[in-house]
Each structure stands twice: as structure tokens, then as C-alpha cells.
Amino acid sequence: EAQVTQNPRYLITVTGKKLTVTCSQNMNHEYMSWYRQDPGLGLRQIYYSMNVEVTDKGDVPEGYKVSRKEKRNFPLILESPSPNQTSLYFCASRHKYRGLSGAYGYTFGSGTRLTVV
Amino acid sequence: AQTVTQSQPEMSVQEAETVTLSCTYDTSESDYYLFWYKQPPSRQMILVIRQEAYKQQNATENRFSVNFQKAAKSFSLKISDSQLGDAAMYFCAYRSPKFPSGAQKLVFGQGTRLTINP
């Protein structure tokens, strides 16, 4: 089954304790992105990647890091989490070429609910 | 920068009736893509319908259709014969065709929570 897999689904952590949220896709997609969802703000892009070793900042990158060492994986790293990073996080991917990802849209993971206390 | 606005934080409708969710956007581009995503309580983001700006014909997917008004920069979603399973948060989203950053990013509205009353 074609999918984007995120782990963990829920995570509670303490301020300053480094964490990684994993994301893996099995569709050979070039493009991958991370979003955070907050009430009243919708989803906002944190980082994106166009291919292996090619990443760039989105709209809200502060406090986050990413890496793309393999095409299928795109982990999100919070090196020193703070309470304002409490949010719902989504990983998403799509094929580079129009028409080859179904509806030209993204395939999303199931989300990671992160709470930083 | 493009922005997307959903002015209805919450909507409700009786089962089997029709409801329209509003979305407006701001852009200086002439070609772009618009989407409606559904997020049920499971949190999964499900693509409902898409529209390419160069196409004048409004997109339709079964009970879901859009009213795309390019000049007014409006992209509303109509759900006909509402069902209990339609209850969800609905997000309107914009994507630029520009390479590379635009191709990467969906710009989302704030969301509209839809309740279906039995």
C-alpha cells in the first residue's frame, strides 16, 4: 500500500530533550515536506526537500532541523524542544512530475501529536 | 506571498442537506492549483477535490463540487446530500506552479469544522 509513515503518533517530552520524528514513504517520491498544524492557523510548512541531500526552509523553520540522506526518509529533528513547539505535525510527499501523484496533491502521513512540557 | 482565508471556523448542516464552505485566496499568479482537504477525527489528511486555475470548468467529485471564481479569487466547496461521515475539519489549500519553492508548498487556510446533524 502506498503510504507515508510517521512515528510516533503521540509524544510527550520535556523542554530541552532532543527528539526525532521519523517519516518514511514507499512511493519513490522526490518531494517531501513537514508541516505543523495549530488551531486557527491551519497547516504551515516547516521544511521541505526536493531530493536526497536537498533541503530548504519553509515558513516556520526556527527550532527544527531535517535531513534527507535517503530518498524514502525525511526525519524532523527538534534539538531543544520548547513548549511553543507543542503541535500536530504532518509529513507529506509527492512525485516531482505532474500527473504521477494522482491528484497533483500530496500524500500525508497520519500525524504526530507532540506535547512539550 | 500567497494567503488563503477560510472565514467560517465552524459550520453545521442537517444530514442529507447541502452545505457550502467558503475559501478566498490572494495571489498575483495567473496559474496555480487549489485543493480541498478533509481531516476527520482520525487526523488523516484526505484530498477531496482539486482545481487547476487555467481550467474554467468547476471540478466535481461525486457529492463534492467547487465554485471556482478566478476573478474574485474564491474557491468554495459544496457538499450535497451531506452524510454523517462528512463530519470533519476541511482545509482549503493553494499551490504555486513556480519552481522550486512553490512546487513544494501548500498554503493552507485556517480550516472549517463541519458538523453533520442527524
Side-chain angles (χ1 to χ4, degrees):
Chain A
E1 179 187 355
Q3 60 185 355
V4 176
T5 303
Q6 278 181 244
N7 282 297
R9 191 163 169 79
Y10 297 92
L11 179 59
I12 301 174
T13 190
V14 296
T15 299
K17 185 177 181 182
K18 181 179 179 179
L19 67 90
T20 299
V21 183
T22 63
C23 174
S24 180
Q25 50 94 4
N26 62 0
M27 296 165 282
N28 202 36
H29 286 171
E30 289 82 6
Y31 295 169
M32 297 186 75
S33 285
W34 276 102
Y35 290 84
R36 61 177 287 173
Q37 180 181 344
D38 301 291
L41 297 177
L43 285 80
R44 294 174 293 166
Q45 190 184 53
I46 303 171
Y47 268 94
Y48 66 90
S49 170
M50 294 170 57
N51 214 322
V52 176
E53 302 292 1
V54 181
T55 63
D56 207 347
K57 297 177 181 178
D59 294 325
V60 288
E62 295 77 20
Y64 303 95
K65 285 177 58 177
V66 293
S67 68
R68 188 96 181 269
K69 294 183 169 55
E70 303 167 284
K71 195 172 185 179
R72 63 184 292 127
N73 295 324
F74 190 46
L76 179 69
I77 303 157
L78 286 72
E79 297 217 325
S80 184
S82 63
N84 65 11
Q85 293 178 297
T86 293
S87 188
L88 177 58
Y89 291 86
F90 285 97
C91 180
S93 72
R94 69 178 277 262
H95 198 282
K96 178 179 179 180
Y97 296 108
R98 183 175 165 176
L100 294 181
S101 61
Y104 317 127
Y106 280 83
T107 300
F108 282 82
S110 299
T112 296
R113 172 73 69 187
L114 172 65
T115 302
V116 184
V117 298
Chain B
Q2 296 86 14
T3 59
V4 177
T5 302
Q6 293 178 249
S7 58
Q8 306 154 315
E10 296 182 346
M11 293 280 286
S12 64
V13 64
Q14 290 296 124
E15 193 176 3
E17 295 191 346
T18 295
V19 63
T20 298
L21 308 184
S22 301
C23 172
T24 58
Y25 56 94
D26 187 27
T27 184
S28 59
E29 297 174 324
S30 58
D31 192 20
Y32 45 86
Y33 310 103
L34 295 167
F35 305 87
W36 279 99
Y37 279 89
K38 171 185 178 181
Q39 186 182 54
S42 67
R43 300 190 325 217
Q44 187 67 40
M45 293 289 285
I46 302 165
L47 179 64
V48 175
I49 200 165
R50 72 183 189 280
Q51 176 81 42
E52 291 151 301
Y54 69 86
K55 291 184 178 179
Q56 293 191 353
Q57 186 174 6
N58 289 326
T60 298
E61 291 285 344
N62 300 313
R63 298 183 294 107
F64 297 87
S65 61
V66 297
N67 183 4
F68 173 49
Q69 301 289 328
K70 190 173 184 179
K73 297 179 182 176
S74 172
F75 183 59
S76 60
L77 175 70
K78 185 172 82 170
I79 306 174
S80 303
D81 186 24
S82 298
Q83 301 176 0
L84 294 177
D86 295 333
M89 180 74 86
Y90 286 82
F91 290 100
C92 178
Y94 172 104
R95 183 165 72 81
S96 166
K98 286 186 179 178
F99 185 85
S101 60
Q104 296 299 316
K105 183 170 72 175
L106 289 168
V107 179
F108 284 89
Q110 300 88 339
T112 297
R113 185 170 300 283
L114 178 64
T115 301
I116 312 295
N117 300 314

